[in-house]
Amino acid sequence: MMSCELEDMHAMNALRCGSQRSGLGVNGYASACNDCTYSRATPTSSSSDRAAATAEGPVFDTCDILFESLSAERRARICAAYSASTCCTSSRSRALRGRASPARGARPIARAAIDPISPFDTRRLNVVASHSGASSMRVFVDGVPVYFPYEYMYPEQYAYMCELKRALDARGHCVLEMPTGTGKTVTLLSFICSYQLIRPEVSKLIYCTRTVGEMDKVLHELERVLQYRNDALQRENSAAGSSALVSDHGVNRKLLAVGLTTRRNLCLHESVVSAESREEADSICRSMTASWVRAQHASESAPAASHAPGSGSAMEIDTQASEAPENPALCKYYENFEAKGRETIMPSGVYTMDRLMAFGREHQWCPYFTARHAINVANVVVYNYQYLLDPKVAGLISKDLARESVVVFDEAHNIDNVCIEALSVNIKQDTLNRCLGNLSTLTNKIRETRETNAGRLQEEYERLVASFSAQNLLPASVAQNQLTDALLASPVLPHDLPEQESVPGSLRKAEHFVMYLRRIVDHLRRKMQAQSVTQESARLFTHQVAGSLLTDVKTLRCCSERLKSLLFTLEVTDMAEYSPLNCVADFATLLGAYGNTRSFGVIFEPYDERLPSIPDPILQLACLDSTLAMQPVFERFQTVVLTSGTLSPLDMYSRILGFQPVVSRSFTMSLARKCIAPMIVSRGSDQQPISSKYELRNDAAVIRNYGSLVIELAAVVPDGMVVFFVSYIYMEMVIQAWSETGVLQRIAELKLVFIETPDTIEASLALDNFRRAVDQGRGAVFFSVARGKVAEGIDFDQHYGRCVVMIGVPFQYTESRTLRARLEYMREVNHIRENDYLSFDAMRQASQCVGRVIRSKADYGIMVLADKRYVRADKKNKLPPWILGCMEDKLLDLDTEMCVTGAKQFLKEMAQPLSQQAQIGTALLTEAAIAAGAHMNGTAARGAMLSAPAANMSMGLL
Amino acid sequence: MSLIERECRHRKAEGMVRVSENHVVWTAQRASDGVHPVRVPIASVSSQMATPAGAKSALIKLVTVDNPKGIVFDFGADGAASRNAVRDVISSLLQLRVAGSSSAGIAPSAGAAQPQQTQPVPPPISLENVSPQEAHRRAEILNKNEMVSQMHAKLVLEQRAVSDADFWKGIEFRLRKAKEATSVAQQQTSKVATARGMPTALQTTVQGTETDAGTQTFRFTPTQMHQIFVEQPEVHRAYKALVPRKMDEQLFWKKYVQSRILQSEFATGDRSDMFAKFQMEAEREEGRELRQRAEALRARELQLDRRDDHKSVHNEGAHCMDDGSSAAAITIGNRKSKYMPLVRRYNRHGTLVLDSIRRGVAAASPSAGSDADTNAQESETAQTSSCWEEPAFLRDHPMLDLEAEMDEQYLPLHIQNVRVFVDNYVSDAPSNETSANHDTARTSRDEIVRHIKRWKPSPDLLLQVLRTSQACSEMSFSSLEGSV
């Protein structure tokens, strides 16, 4: 066997040296041949690894291989050998694998255990260029053939892949920061899809995005990546004489990629599409698809074959429904899906939202349920964070995903807030008032059911008596109708619910449970009648509640599941109506589950501190620990990638989220020209300091200076311009003041003015009109708010955003008691000082805002940070390195005139032509350049790259 | 009114020379050059000289009574055409001056009449080789255009400076040029009008002019009214509903001004006046329109209302809406009163401005029959999605002024009586002979007109003539005023 491998390797090298393929000369191959190394297998440490190595074949170090020039059999053998080598050759990798896997009971490894690698280290990076097409490339990243669907690659993309591979090999988590506009998405997708060929066990990629628009972009990009990858593989197979699209490992290269979003976005039924809110859409859908609704209509349409509601199995109901004629009260798309789609496997391919809708329209299947059904078998799933982080949604949607999946959180800079939000519950006075209405309705419904069909309630009671677990109290038939009947899961994380814990006897009977809920609501109402602010630990509050209700904590913990069971028994379809009661039940459940921990706080505020004269009581069960929601994800999946353009300082995330990444890197941007101009404006035209801090907020001079700054910039900046304010309230105040002083009119003389409003429809149209205005050459200014929907998801690239102005520092409302409680928690538990966190949070928001302006290297834009506080090191240094790197000293601490002068100068420079050829070798790498860099030794390669014509290229890893 | 304007230099300063009927005026382009304007009365010009063709620089020198050394205008090395145009105009004015003085009985200077006597005087009007259509057309022009008529009378009939045929050759040439210029101008004007649309700036606040006794007078031009209607739909609705059935226009605008003043002084967004009802209607209509537009939004990333928010499921739903909170109450109150109307005004204005362009383009796009709507939608989509580009008329019609000057085609003007262009010319012909010539010319002209009126052409010919005359009547002869 060994001699055979040896023969193969020498044959390959001989073949490679002798080949004269286009693009790489004979000399190149000959020199590469000298780097070819061969070594014997190293004994593996663990028995399982040894067994795996034995099964996969002998072990050797990888070398440069031209797969195309080999026979299929030999290629398969080489791939197997490579696979074994990367698994087993390096004792370090072996150790990582062993320790990074929580399933094996080991601690996460220390970051220092891994040496940073050079991206052009030939010992580990073996790059061979293939010549499959002019507009795409295939490179080897540390031995992994990566199919990259573009003609050029950015240096940072290459380095990003290297780091990603380290994390995947180590089966650990990573935090990677790469500037906006440098192709994170395509890099991730290209690499992971290529990596799946080598490592078939990494079967699923779960890509989490923030918005529906981003989800669609990811799917479109994936389509391109897979198209090229499959074409390239097809060509390789054709060359080898095989027509099947099967990898060397026998892995089917056909992938199924699907995106999942809400019913409202993925529904074909008119009434659901036109619903005004998500809850309404869900309720309408449920009223047409719930099993009892369908059973009732089936019995009406086919009396002969009628079944008593609840008595028939779901499958029987489904069959009848599918055979019944179309009923306007039911959803025909869902009926068709039930009839044909449930047992059918979707054809492989990338289903963007449009394609999924078209697929549904073609087959008359419901796209939403098709997607829900497909995510368990899909190779790539793209959806929102919530589907993975919020226990209620994750328990419903994502509970069957495989551990070997790779999870990517794109734009993950706000992930801690998402985690906090997922486990926090706010109760307002209106919530409780509506709860009382819900309880009355439930009481009536129970009475009616007791009179008409008492058997259903009795059946539920018996089920609860027999139940050994409070985790899932729904009947078994729900499992068969999981898609439609299952309600949101418990808000408590699965591992925090004891498996062997039955429902307390006081809650089993429906009337008793409603009474119990009424007592909870009454208690909360009494609590909310207080006139003073209270902040107490969850433990104290829980004991107060338990004492007041004469109950124990365990009973509280069951509320959510018990309510779900009751709503199912009563066949409630309009879940939106019962959302207040759900909210209180979740409050009680979380209190029961986490009441004895420090991770939650209970805060009561009778009024908003900004408006103390108006009563507005709110009771908050505030989650203070973002690790709670994140830890299950880290533990459940072997690799979690957190990536964004603004993650600095990186160590903050590992501390906040409570994990130890195996790779934590921040990449700079390699530029052939300095395409961003970050400036800090600290003074107005009258040399008065400008700031949005509380003391200066109402100062007329500050508002006037901000206005003159915007006017001056609007006069010199072409096309689109975006102005971000720190909050809605501040924006309203400033814009009104500008209107009264004529500033707004002067801006309107220069450019059309569009202003974001809290109404999402109005804001969407304002954005659309802004883009139209810029497209038509009118020029426009868009006024928006940091932390708003626009700041978090809309790109102002190219001519849409030639300048972005951040007015003020977007701090959170620091007087918020919830924030204070969280700061206190982080200080005590995570050892993060309050000011550090507040500055970190504000700067990541500011970075997000100014980062909207650039989305590619060909783009350019001015970033104006207009507040004197940005000059201070504790703020400025928290900007991402790629922004800091472009911030010249002369652009700090400017006044309005200097800023405008700088902007003019920058725009003049950017108006010069930029040829693509000038960027090659600096900001763009070709296949040949990557291959050449890889064939040199690491230092020489890096030196060669850095000595490229444009001296400002920065390839370093920070 | 200036007859011609051309750029030229005077004392090395860039400027513009304008020739009017009585003066030649040169003004510097920049006051900073320090060269004062030059104003030369035509009456004082004693002679005009020009450099020959092919000279290094095209110059004109005007010698006046006050300035015997002359005033030089430099048209530059490539300015021969401009120079010639100016020279011709000045020459014609000098000729007219001479003719006027002669007809007024000014005594000619001695020694200047000899050459004229040797020149054969052309017949006043020759109808040889002139078709009836052409004759009819000429008569039309003479009847309709007083300027041409006067010139014809002076140059052809009175002074016999040019023959009738040459005169009409010149007129033909000018007419053709004027037609070309008019068509290009019309083309450009129509395209610019569709491309420009509404102004970016909003209508400024209503301001009156102070008069005695503290009263203010407000004046609304039709443009201002239109702008108000466009920017404030409620006012337009009220106008349509109330004027003139319930009130006259003056009262309506008076109430409008009162409403605006009250609104600005008391800072209330909710109008309690006659516009309140219409404001509510307009807001409802706007809301419906907003939803329709939102449905048509294609860019998915812009559909903010369709997003999967990070907001927890616990904290979603009607019970969690901010409408009930005190902060929201204050904010909402503030928004309703002042802020939101302001924001909506700006957002709506931007939309209107963009829609005006889109409508113009859609209307200009060719669409016929049942495909009209489709074409309009397509053009809207194309307009929405396409980036801005240089207007077609700018691409198709490059700015010739910025390029090398082209040789203009001039028709040779055969001048029989050269003396009329010679300085210090004084006719020595007896005044009674001149008046006799005038009488003859008028008689001939009247005969022509009578002859034409009596003449009955064939129907085809008549149709052709009518077309020609219509085309002629539509032309602007303004360009002729200083050219011939």
Side-chain angles (χ1 to χ4, degrees), chain B residues 69-372:
Chain B
K69 287 186 178 178
I71 301 161
V72 179
F73 299 117
D74 184 359
F75 292 82
D78 300 326
S82 299
R83 191 275 312 269
N84 292 342
V86 174
R87 184 195 62 192
D88 291 347
V89 173
I90 296 175
S91 298
S92 64
L93 289 171
L94 290 174
Q95 183 193 359
L96 287 175
R97 186 195 68 182
V98 171
S101 62
S102 62
S103 65
I106 297 172
S109 62
Q114 292 299 327
Q116 193 194 3
Q117 288 178 347
T118 59
Q119 293 288 332
V121 177
I125 290 177
S126 167
L127 292 177
E128 290 176 8
N129 302 324
V130 177
S131 65
Q133 302 95 307
E134 178 61 24
H136 186 271
R137 201 171 71 84
R138 288 179 184 181
E140 284 281 342
I141 294 171
L142 288 173
N143 279 335
K144 288 186 176 175
N145 195 307
E146 194 180 351
M147 184 78 181
V148 177
S149 176
Q150 285 176 358
M151 279 196 299
H152 186 265
K154 285 181 182 173
L155 294 175
V156 180
L157 302 179
E158 294 175 7
Q159 300 171 6
R160 298 188 185 178
V162 292
S163 70
D164 188 55
D166 286 341
F167 177 82
W168 286 110
K169 268 187 192 173
I171 292 291
E172 286 287 343
F173 175 74
R174 297 296 170 191
L175 283 177
R176 198 170 61 247
K177 296 283 280 183
K179 186 180 177 184
E180 287 172 6
T182 310
S183 63
V184 169
Q186 280 177 346
Q187 197 180 357
Q188 289 185 357
T189 309
S190 61
K191 288 191 175 179
V192 167
T194 54
R196 277 187 184 155
M198 290 173 60
T200 299
L202 261 81
Q203 170 84 19
T204 52
T205 52
V206 177
Q207 285 184 339
T209 51
E210 191 82 25
T211 57
D212 294 338
T215 58
Q216 282 196 334
T217 306
F218 293 86
R219 294 184 192 283
F220 290 97
T221 63
T223 313
Q224 281 176 325
M225 290 180 191
H226 175 73
Q227 189 82 358
I228 290 169
F229 286 157
V230 167
E231 289 179 6
Q232 300 173 48
E234 70 273 13
V235 179
H236 192 203
R237 280 172 175 272
Y239 183 86
K240 283 195 293 187
L242 303 176
V243 178
R245 282 183 298 171
K246 295 187 178 174
M247 63 178 72
D248 64 352
E249 194 158 359
Q250 192 173 3
L251 181 60
F252 176 83
W253 288 111
K254 189 178 174 184
K255 285 182 177 293
Y256 169 74
V257 170
Q258 287 171 348
S259 164
R260 285 297 300 266
I261 291 171
L262 281 175
Q263 200 181 356
S264 60
E265 283 186 358
F266 296 103
T268 55
D270 291 328
R271 290 178 168 175
S272 56
D273 50 18
M274 72 175 188
F275 294 104
K277 185 179 80 173
F278 300 102
Q279 187 174 13
M280 286 169 64
E281 284 178 12
E283 280 176 3
R284 275 200 299 271
E285 179 66 29
E286 194 180 345
R288 275 197 294 274
E289 192 183 344
L290 277 179
R291 267 160 190 75
Q292 284 173 1
R293 281 172 177 259
E295 289 296 320
L297 261 184
R298 289 195 175 190
R300 189 162 279 124
E301 75 258 30
L302 299 186
Q303 297 172 348
L304 300 176
D305 62 322
R306 298 263 161 180
R307 285 191 172 187
D308 289 349
D309 284 330
H310 297 315
K311 193 180 273 188
S312 161
V313 178
H314 315 288
N315 302 324
E316 278 195 39
H319 65 285
C320 300
M321 297 296 282
D322 279 340
D323 296 354
S325 69
S326 58
I330 293 285
T331 313
I332 287 169
N334 189 23
R335 280 176 191 157
K336 276 187 180 170
S337 66
K338 205 168 179 188
Y339 175 70
M340 285 312 291
L342 175 71
V343 168
R344 289 196 174 119
R345 186 174 169 220
Y346 275 92
N347 286 348
R348 186 175 59 235
H349 173 72
T351 312
L352 288 168
V353 168
L354 298 172
D355 286 352
S356 69
I357 296 174
R358 191 169 57 175
R359 275 197 292 272
V361 173
S365 65
S367 59
S370 61
D371 293 333

Side-chain angles (χ1 to χ4, degrees), chain A residues 386 732 740 775-776, chain B residues 196 198 311 335 338 388:
Chain A
Q386 260 193 349
E732 288 172 14
E740 285 158 9
D775 282 341
Q776 291 175 11
Chain B
R196 277 187 184 155
M198 290 173 60
K311 193 180 273 188
R335 280 176 191 157
K338 205 168 179 188
W388 181 87

Side-chain angles (χ1 to χ4, degrees), chain A residues 82-212:
Chain A
Y82 163 76
S83 179
S85 72
T86 49
C87 287
C88 313
T89 305
S90 162
S91 59
R92 184 173 55 201
S93 298
R94 205 166 48 241
L96 292 181
R97 273 201 304 140
R99 279 190 249 162
S101 166
R104 297 183 186 184
R107 290 176 305 165
I109 61 156
R111 179 180 160 191
I114 302 178
D115 298 331
I117 62 161
S118 156
F120 292 99
D121 187 346
T122 40
R123 287 174 303 161
R124 301 192 59 193
L125 304 177
N126 303 298
V127 181
V128 176
S130 70
H131 309 278
S132 48
S135 61
S136 48
M137 62 166 78
R138 196 183 84 150
V139 295
F140 273 60
V141 177
D142 198 7
V144 177
V146 176
Y147 299 90
F148 191 74
Y150 292 96
E151 191 177 358
Y152 302 103
M153 185 184 280
Y154 298 150
E156 53 269 27
Q157 284 181 317
Y158 190 83
Y160 190 95
M161 287 186 190
C162 294
E163 297 301 314
L164 193 57
K165 181 177 182 301
R166 289 179 62 210
L168 290 172
D169 283 348
R171 298 185 184 180
H173 313 307
C174 62
V175 182
L176 300 173
E177 181 187 54
M178 192 155 87
T180 53
T182 49
K184 279 189 294 293
T185 307
V186 71
T187 310
L188 272 163
L189 295 173
S190 299
F191 183 79
I192 294 176
C193 289
S194 302
Y195 190 82
Q196 283 177 326
L197 293 176
I198 298 293
R199 299 259 189 219
E201 66 271 18
V202 181
S203 56
K204 192 185 285 283
L205 166 64
I206 303 167
Y207 201 104
C208 299
T209 62
R210 292 181 306 178
T211 65
V212 179

Side-chain angles (χ1 to χ4, degrees), chain A residues 64 70 86 95 114 183 193 201 271 310 346 406 426 533 582 751 876-877 899:
Chain A
D64 302 336
L70 302 176
T86 49
I114 302 178
C193 289
E201 66 271 18
S271 55
M346 279 177 82
V406 176
N426 298 340
V533 178
N582 260 318
K751 290 179 186 292
K876 190 184 71 176
N877 293 341
C899 170

